[in-house]
Amino acid sequence: MMGLATDGGLLVPSQIPAISAETLNSWRKLSYPELAFQVMKPFVGDAIPEKELKELVNASYATFDTAEVVPVRPMGSSGLFVAELYHGPTLAFKDVALQFLGNLFAAILKKRGGRLNILGATSGDTGSAAIHGVRGKEGIEIFIMYPEGRVSPLQERQMATVPDANVHCIAIEGSFDDGQRVLKECFNDLPFKSAMHLGAVNSVNWARILAQVVYYFWGSFRVHETLGKEIPLQVCVPTGNFGDIFAGYVAQKMGAPIRRLLLATNENDILSRFFNTGIYTRGEVHPTLSPSMDIQVASNFERYLYYRVGEDATKVKALMTGFAKGEAIRLPGQDPQFAAGRGDTAMTLATIKKYWELHKVLLDPHGAVGVAVAEANPLKDTVTLCLETAHPGKFPAAIGQAVGDESLASHPFLEKLKSLPLRKTILKPELPAIEEFMKKNCNG
Ligand SMILES: *Cc1c(COP(=O)(O)O)cnc(C)c1O
């Protein structure tokens, strides 16, 4: 629950358990929640009793709209498979982690008798997944700031129609950057932070990574079932903050049958540049059709660096400190576990169109970046599993642009939101206004 480590670095597990071939085989037939329990158990140890962990996991995936949780489908006989990570309550892959995190936080608070006020700033998607992770949970209030009039109506409805009393949507009169700034100011106001038991649910929380490790095992098993043979796969991951693909790296270290991780970025390509040149340098952020990947500094990359430099935390700290000052990070040599590519806007649109026409599958623009990069980087003697991170219904404009008809991208859940009332408070992005609002509406 501490988020960052006390020295400002990211937390990693003291060791990554190796799973024997025998255990791996015994996992093949498990349901998704059963598998999630097995994958998480060695990391959790006796911090949570087994029975309780099982209940947490079951509750977290019962909110998905299919018992499979993450369905995996072959794209004809192309050798490409797609894992649909968007069957949770906000129709994006962040639900896989945040549904679990919400239940986990609530369980820990109940045990310790504590409380938590979560404050976040969002430009769109993370806010709704966080809200749906903790709505109605005892001991937790959540305050999410977003720029008034600058998120899509659909994104606003996914946040501000949630009726639970512990959810507080703050539409700030300003930009996303204003939201980020006032968020930092709140966390830097140490007396306020400690009096309010202020917490975050950002993408560097280790428990989020842990929940994401599960579907790398699950996806491999489902592909093996379809193929009738158990070969190590290539897994292609559309990436922004390096969170999702870092979970794949952990799964591979544990022994998941993954031969290579294929990292896919859009035009914001700091990560694909790094894996192709060994040089990690900041670029400018370009807005694209896949906004959740419009990132130039990947917060979870630091975790990968740690393993890349031989688990030497001092070295990581030196590299990250240099990077914060504007220096590049240079790591010569290639990591054979990774390949990387970039899918630009034209490729994204062409891929959505192609898969719709060829397979009657509508990809969202993030998943389409992945599939475009996967097509360009096949791996000999194996097939590629592509992670599809959002439902296309969340990005009607991009779908319209690609296939000429926005309405193809609808989802009944999103349609239903249109008739629900909005619950939001409009505030100025100024510290006193935000703090006063939080004090008035906080938990205890
Ligand atoms: C957050 C997000 C991503 C990027 O995930 P990372 O863990 O930051 O790499 C990709 N697609 C969608 C739809 C997302 O919401």
Side-chain angles (χ1 to χ4, degrees), residues 83 89 124 146 153 160 170 217 280 284 329 350 369 396 403 412 443:
Y146 61 87
I170 305 175
F217 286 96
Y280 187 73
E284 262 175 42
I329 294 176
V369 167
V403 297
N443 184 345

Side-chain angles (χ1 to χ4, degrees), residues 132-322:
H132 284 261
V134 303
R135 60 182 289 192
K137 299 268 185 283
E138 225 176 289
I140 304 179
E141 300 285 314
I142 184 163
F143 301 82
I144 295 291
M145 298 183 276
Y146 61 87
E148 165 74 354
R150 299 198 203 184
V151 298
S152 78
L154 193 108
Q155 286 175 324
E156 180 172 51
R157 282 197 288 270
Q158 281 199 296
M159 295 187 275
T161 58
V162 175
D164 303 77
N166 72 330
V167 173
H168 310 277
C169 289
I170 305 175
I172 53 161
E173 297 174 304
S175 66
F176 172 61
D177 291 335
D178 291 324
Q180 288 284 55
R181 174 186 44 76
V182 74
L183 178 82
K184 266 194 204 132
E185 288 171 9
C186 285
F187 277 91
N188 286 339
D189 181 350
L190 296 182
F192 178 76
K193 184 181 169 196
S194 95
M196 291 287 290
H197 302 273
L198 209 55
V201 282
N202 48 28
S203 71
V204 298
N205 192 294
W206 165 253
R208 280 180 69 172
I209 305 283
L210 179 56
Q212 291 171 198
V213 171
V214 177
Y215 53 72
Y216 285 87
F217 286 96
W218 172 264
S220 309
F221 296 156
R222 300 291 76 78
V223 172
H224 289 171
E225 240 167 30
T226 307
L227 292 176
K229 56 180 174 182
E230 295 166 8
I231 50 171
L233 309 178
Q234 169 166 254
V235 184
C236 179
V237 190
T239 308
N241 269 315
F242 206 77
D244 196 358
I245 196 164
F246 181 74
Y249 184 68
V250 173
Q252 197 182 30
K253 279 188 179 296
M254 291 173 75
I258 297 170
R259 201 155 105 206
R260 186 168 85 170
L261 292 162
L262 178 58
L263 177 148
T265 65
N266 61 27
E267 283 92 336
N268 299 288
D269 60 356
I270 179 169
L271 287 166
S272 55
R273 277 188 284 120
F274 168 76
F275 280 99
N276 286 310
T277 64
I279 304 171
Y280 187 73
T281 47
R282 220 179 288 256
E284 262 175 42
V285 179
H286 305 282
T288 72
L289 297 176
S290 41
S292 297
M293 292 155 58
D294 291 348
I295 280 163
Q296 279 291 2
V297 177
S299 49
N300 271 290
F301 184 69
E302 183 181 329
R303 285 196 166 107
Y304 168 73
L305 267 185
Y306 174 71
Y307 293 97
R308 194 56 200 275
V309 300
E311 305 187 23
D312 182 340
T314 313
K315 233 182 229 173
V316 174
K317 181 154 193 165
L319 290 171
M320 292 307 296
T321 307

Side-chain angles (χ1 to χ4, degrees), residues 65-83:
D65 70 5
T66 158
E68 287 174 280
V69 182
V70 179
V72 177
R73 304 187 200 288
M75 298 294 109
S77 55
S78 64
L80 282 188
F81 290 73
V82 167

